Amino acid sequence: MNNNQNTKHELFHEYYARWIKIYKEGAIRQVTMQKYVMTQQWLSKLIPSLEICQLNRTAYQQLLNEYAKFHERQTTMDFHHQLKAAIIDAVDEGWIDRDPTRKAIIKGRTPREKKQKFLNQFEVHKLLADLKLGPEADWDWMILLIAKTGMRFSEALALTPADFDFMHQSLNVNKTWDYKNDQGFMPTKNFTSNRKIQLDWQTVIQFTELLKGLPENEPFFVHGKVWNSTPNKRLERHCKNVNIPIITIHGLRHTHASLLLFAGVSIASVARRLGHASMTTTQKTYLHIIAELENKDIDLVMRSLSGLSS
């Protein structure tokens, strides 16, 4: 039997593991790599004995249906996308006759009720008033900083005193902290994530005092192993204290962006401040807010026009 025949009869989950190693290892971020590995583990569980050559449209649809029993539709869609590239490569190699992913139907469990992702201005004021800002950089200080800057949690963890330019009231975001794998400093999510964020004068004064005398190039929020559940629990406690919706640390980033958009800041400026790769990401994430603002704009236009008389 030739090598091509051998490959055709390779178990699909083993082929997928090999494909990840060849095409993805070292080319994508560790957090994305873990998602591919998770997909491979599901293949081992759902189709342990399926060979590459047996993967036709029916078998593929059955695989998606089985996966969808345990996951929401969007997660099933992500699973499908992660498999598709590997399957197309197998088709190109001649190990599968036709693309079995064509016209695939994506199903999934009903999404759980989504928690509120952000706070309004009044709620933010209540939250910040409840913080206990002591002489050392702790989670309360991080909550304040993310609310004021919209930074990602991993970006805030990686901050060192050297990243603050107090003279020009700005903060230099140029790295992240790998808290999931405990690997220390890592590059930012993408090129546009490297950015300078302008700070208000009050935040400048507070952090000038807080960081005085600390080592210039050491992260001041990190003291040993970090779990994101710890600051999330602290934030939850503050939300409960002042009777506002409970959000996560990442929800503070959404809150920051929402407040800027409602204040009339352009989408382009918000995208730059958040470090989004493109304005499309910002528009997709905050579609509901943008729609609300457009309705306000239409009302404003109509009022302006009604004031004109011939």
Side-chain angles (χ1 to χ4, degrees):
M1 192 183 277
N2 63 32
N3 190 51
N4 193 48
Q5 284 297 104
N6 281 332
T7 311
K8 274 182 118 167
H9 292 283
E10 183 179 15
L11 293 176
F12 181 73
H13 71 87
E14 289 177 356
Y15 158 73
Y16 188 73
R18 191 161 54 84
W19 181 85
I20 294 170
K21 197 166 181 58
I22 294 168
Y23 291 101
K24 296 298 174 184
E25 203 171 83
I28 55 178
R29 287 163 59 87
Q30 188 58 34
V31 66
T32 311
M33 185 65 180
Q34 284 166 351
K35 290 175 185 173
Y36 277 93
V37 171
M38 185 72 75
T39 293
Q40 196 274 330
Q41 288 167 352
W42 273 99
L43 293 179
S44 305
K45 184 177 171 181
L46 297 174
I47 49 167
S49 56
L50 189 86
E51 296 176 3
I52 294 180
C53 59
Q54 295 172 323
L55 191 65
N56 54 28
R57 279 189 64 203
T58 305
Y60 185 70
Q61 187 63 57
Q62 283 171 340
L63 166 65
L64 289 183
N65 292 351
E66 281 303 304
Y67 184 83
K69 287 178 184 176
F70 306 96
H71 299 89
E72 292 180 13
R73 188 177 182 280
Q74 184 54 54
T75 313
T76 308
M77 179 70 83
D78 295 341
F79 178 74
H80 165 63
H81 284 148
Q82 290 203 327
L83 290 175
K84 192 175 171 72
I87 291 170
I88 296 298
D89 282 351
V91 173
D92 288 347
E93 294 288 358
W95 302 326
I96 300 176
D97 292 336
R98 295 187 191 86
D99 175 13
T101 69
R102 195 174 64 86
K103 294 186 179 176
I105 307 297
I106 309 300
K107 303 174 187 177
R109 295 164 72 164
T110 307
R112 286 168 298 181
E113 194 178 331
K114 295 283 188 277
K115 290 182 182 174
Q116 182 167 327
K117 284 187 177 178
F118 59 90
L119 304 174
N120 62 34
Q121 196 157 0
F122 174 68
E123 291 162 344
V124 175
H125 280 304
K126 288 179 78 171
L127 169 66
L128 298 186
D130 196 58
L131 299 179
K132 307 290 183 284
L133 301 172
E136 292 181 2
D138 61 6
W139 297 128
D140 278 24
W141 280 103
M142 180 183 275
I143 289 169
L144 172 71
L145 191 62
I146 294 179
K148 290 288 191 90
T149 62
M151 298 176 77
R152 297 177 178 94
F153 176 58
S154 59
E155 293 170 343
L157 282 177
L159 287 175
T160 68
D163 295 322
F164 285 79
D165 181 353
F166 293 123
M167 186 76 72
H168 296 99
Q169 289 188 213
S170 71
L171 180 54
N172 192 20
V173 178
N174 52 29
K175 57 195 173 303
T176 62
W177 186 264
D178 183 13
Y179 65 94
K180 289 181 180 174
N181 302 299
D182 208 15
Q183 296 290 310
F185 290 122
M186 295 282 283
T188 52
K189 188 172 183 180
N190 49 56
F191 177 73
T192 47
S193 292
N194 292 324
R195 62 201 188 279
K196 281 186 164 53
I197 301 176
Q198 287 302 122
L199 301 171
D200 62 278
W201 64 268
Q202 193 179 12
T203 304
V204 167
I205 291 167
Q206 287 173 303
F207 276 84
T208 303
E209 190 59 36
L210 180 70
L211 303 180
K212 207 175 279 180
L214 293 183
E216 281 289 288
N217 296 301
E218 289 180 23
F220 51 85
F221 283 128
V222 178
H223 310 288
K225 177 81 178 111
V226 176
W227 285 271
N228 65 349
S229 57
T230 315
N232 275 328
K233 280 175 187 164
R234 176 78 69 91
L235 178 55
E236 181 180 340
R237 196 158 66 241
H238 285 303
C239 291
K240 284 178 176 174
N241 284 350
V242 293
N243 198 27
I244 59 175
I246 295 167
I247 63 162
T248 61
I249 289 288
H250 194 69
L252 285 175
R253 177 170 159 84
H254 289 310
T255 295
H256 182 77
S258 305
L259 294 182
L260 293 182
L261 289 168
F262 278 124
V265 177
S266 72
I267 295 170
S269 295
V270 173
R272 272 197 304 275
R273 193 166 172 91
L274 295 180
H276 280 162
S278 73
M279 275 197 291
T280 311
T281 308
T282 318
Q283 286 168 321
K284 271 191 196 159
T285 311
Y286 302 105
L287 194 62
H288 58 297
I289 295 171
I290 291 163
E292 206 173 317
L293 291 170
E294 280 177 351
N295 288 337
K296 281 186 182 175
D297 285 345
I298 291 166
D299 289 344
L300 190 61
V301 168
M302 290 302 106
R303 280 204 303 276
S304 301
L305 291 176
S306 65
L308 298 175
S309 54
S310 55

